[in-house]
Amino acid sequence: MRTQVAIIGAGPAGLMLSHLLARDGIMSIVLESRTRQAIEETIRAGVLEQGTVDLLHELKLADRMEQIGERHGGIEFRFRGRGHRIPMRDLTGGNEVMIYAQHEVIKDLVAARVQQGGEIVFGVSDVQLHDLDTDRPRVSFRRSPEAPTEFIACDFIAGCDGFHGPSRSSIPENVRTEYHKTFPMGWLGILVEAPPSSEELIYCNHDRGFALVSTRSPEVQRMYIQVDAQDDIANWPDERIWSELRSRLATEDGWAPIEGPIIQKSIVGMRSFVCSPMQYGRLFLAGDAAHIVPPTGAKGLNLAVSDARVLAAAIGEFYQDSRTDLLARYSQICLRRVWKAERFSNFMTQLLHRFPEHSAFDREIQLAELDYMTSSVHGLSTIAENYVGLPIEWGT
Ligand code: APR
Ligand code: PHB
């Protein structure tokens, strides 16, 4: 097989890249190890930055998002039993976020790609990358564990295969630096059958730990609580989860979450990770393959999409103008935005969680920081502009 760009992984990064390339008339093949059903059903986060929303519109992929998604112009920070609104739309000249689940984005991107005749091979195994330091790299794979090995010859490989995929580890260890930070807490996330408890997201700091109220639809809500990173979901019967949500989210004026049957629950760890550079020869990493953020800033999907934008522009320039300027600067352009998103996600995580090592002094500093951030227009604006999404800086 031969194509221009071999894309490994059909997550937001890989699928978005295949759409952007197709718009420029560039061929790609996407290889995905899981089934279509599995990628369309995995529950992930669901906050799209303004730039991600705009891009989905540009690509005419926004119909279902506009029907089912919800535009939010503000979020609430809650601490010491009181809510403080961050009016993002007003503070950023009209920018908002869209609450629309990642797996719904995946459904839209896959359906449109399949309908356009794009090639996505699901359920592949044994994906390996070859000849990365030549201008004819190849990817080998099997269509099933028993099937024979096939090769795709291409001009570029896009490693969009998430944190555990084979792409990043194909970059020799001596040419990459990996930056890691593991947080001592995890998030226990639930899906609840109930009407929304709040019109906007609530990020809550409480002595018992962080809590977050999000939403999915008028009938299904998404909520999270901070738990120990090592905790087991078996320790969390539904009533214990509700009791924590009630205690942490309680306000002076008697606010309580609307309860209902919990239809899904799981615990995820929290970490930060960056691989630098994001490129080696003809291999370009995008999304979680190159970086991970803790979920507090809601940046994971949006970073995957902005990497795909930069990579598509760089590959487009290569085919249209025979230039490699943007390709050469791919890593630099992406990492500049990535590190700012790492910074914001780290800041939000530090601001909103209880840390086991915090002294009484540290705790008061944290509350003073929350007070400052939510009462100064500069504090509010800082959170607002980062939350709705920073621009891609294309310059040097
Ligand atoms: N071969 C082929 N595909 C693979 C392989 C492999 N060996 N390993 C992993 N994959 C696939 C995964 O099954 C997954 O569908 O690569 C895809 C990577 O998708 P994501 O993990 O969603 O990563 P990305 O596209 O970078 O999007 C990042 O997803 O995990 C969330 O919070 C994260 O919101 C962020 C977003
Ligand atoms: C979600 O709705 O899943 C969600 C919202 C905000 C976050 C993280 C996750 O910061």
Side-chain angles (χ1 to χ4, degrees):
M1 292 162 91
R2 157 109 197 107
T3 192
Q4 290 174 296
V5 184
I7 300 176
I8 309 174
L15 291 169
M16 187 57 89
L17 179 64
S18 71
H19 276 281
L20 288 163
L21 293 173
R23 180 175 67 169
D24 287 348
I26 299 166
M27 287 185 308
S28 66
I29 298 176
V30 181
L31 297 177
E32 167 57 51
S33 54
R34 294 189 296 157
T35 63
R36 178 171 177 177
Q37 192 184 358
I39 65 165
E40 291 185 348
E41 287 178 356
T42 306
I43 305 295
R44 293 261 169 86
V47 179
L48 311 190
E49 293 175 350
Q50 183 70 57
T52 304
V53 172
D54 293 344
L55 185 62
L56 288 166
H57 276 279
E58 241 177 84
L59 290 168
K60 309 221 175 328
L61 293 166
D63 291 355
R64 280 182 69 245
M65 174 183 79
E66 286 296 342
Q67 274 166 26
I68 321 175
E70 271 182 41
R71 279 178 190 277
H72 286 199
I75 51 173
E76 179 181 324
F77 275 13
R78 190 174 284 187
F79 57 98
R80 287 196 160 132
R82 290 171 73 167
H84 305 260
R85 183 166 189 265
I86 300 172
M88 300 180 309
R89 189 193 299 114
D90 300 343
L91 290 166
T92 60
N95 290 334
E96 299 175 323
V97 294
M98 178 78 78
I99 312 302
Y100 186 54
Q102 179 168 319
H103 70 275
E104 300 293 349
V105 177
I106 296 289
K107 282 187 207 165
D108 298 344
L109 296 181
V110 169
R113 220 32 224 131
V114 168
Q115 205 235 331
Q116 296 160 3
E119 197 163 351
I120 309 176
V121 191
F122 292 101
V124 301
S125 45
D126 200 13
V127 171
Q128 292 179 32
L129 297 78
H130 310 274
D131 309 329
L132 299 177
D133 50 1
T134 73
D135 55 13
R136 274 283 174 277
R138 292 177 307 149
V139 179
S140 60
F141 70 101
R142 297 171 198 270
R143 283 177 199 265
S144 67
E146 309 76 38
T149 299
E150 297 179 47
F151 284 85
I152 303 177
C154 54
D155 299 327
F156 299 101
I157 301 176
C160 306
D161 44 1
F163 184 71
H164 300 287
S167 295
R168 189 179 61 256
S169 46
S170 302
I171 303 180
E173 263 179 48
N174 62 334
V175 299
R176 67 182 141 101
T177 306
E178 297 193 344
Y179 302 85
H180 287 271
K181 173 167 173 172
T182 308
F183 293 91
M185 70 285 280
W187 276 18
L188 188 166
I190 59 170
L191 282 175
V192 190
E193 274 174 351
S197 288
S198 167
E199 278 180 19
E200 295 181 337
L201 268 55
I202 304 170
Y203 287 82
C204 177
N205 175 314
H206 188 272
D207 286 341
R208 301 183 64 85
F210 171 76
L212 170 59
V213 178
S214 181
T215 184
R216 283 294 176 269
S217 70
E219 299 83 30
V220 177
Q221 310 314 315
R222 183 80 167 143
M223 299 184 200
Y224 299 92
I225 47 174
Q226 171 184 350
V227 296
D228 200 84
Q230 314 307 329
D231 212 337
D232 185 337
I233 195 70
N235 297 329
W236 287 90
D238 294 1
E239 183 40 41
R240 184 174 173 211
I241 298 173
W242 285 119
S243 157
E244 280 302 323
L245 281 164
R246 284 191 298 265
S247 315
R248 297 181 191 191
L249 289 159
T251 58
E252 286 167 352
D253 49 7
W255 191 96
I258 301 176
E259 298 180 25
I262 294 178
I263 52 176
Q264 201 258 354
K265 56 181 166 184
S266 61
I267 296 178
V268 292
M270 311 249 300
R271 71 164 130 206
S272 302
F273 168 75
V274 177
C275 170
S276 176
M278 291 170 54
Q279 178 243 338
Y280 173 71
R282 288 293 181 101
L283 167 65
F284 293 81
L285 303 179
D288 277 17
H291 41 72
I292 302 282
V293 284
T296 331
K299 292 287 166 237
L301 177 150
N302 297 292
L303 282 182
V305 169
S306 56
D307 289 351
R309 278 181 65 180
V310 178
L311 186 51
I315 293 175
E317 185 190 66
F318 173 86
Y319 286 116
Q320 271 150 43
D321 308 327
S322 307
R323 289 175 61 151
T324 53
D325 311 35
L326 273 182
L327 282 170
R329 289 198 296 118
Y330 171 72
S331 224
Q332 181 200 324
I333 296 170
C334 290
L335 285 171
R336 191 167 169 197
R337 190 169 192 279
V338 165
W339 275 113
K340 284 184 209 165
E342 293 283 351
R343 183 202 76 85
F344 180 65
S345 306
N346 192 67
F347 163 78
M348 290 279 280
T349 304
Q350 299 286 348
L351 187 65
L352 291 161
H353 292 76
R354 289 307 311 274
F355 285 79
E357 70 273 19
H358 272 187
S359 64
F361 178 87
D362 297 331
R363 174 74 179 136
E364 290 302 321
I365 291 289
Q366 190 189 44
L367 290 166
E369 173 121 58
L370 274 165
D371 188 9
Y372 170 70
M373 282 292 160
T374 53
S375 55
S376 145
V377 69
H378 303 290
L380 291 165
S381 300
T382 285
I383 293 168
E385 76 166 346
N386 281 278
Y387 198 86
V388 301
L390 296 174
I392 299 174
E393 318 243 17
W394 297 89
T396 45

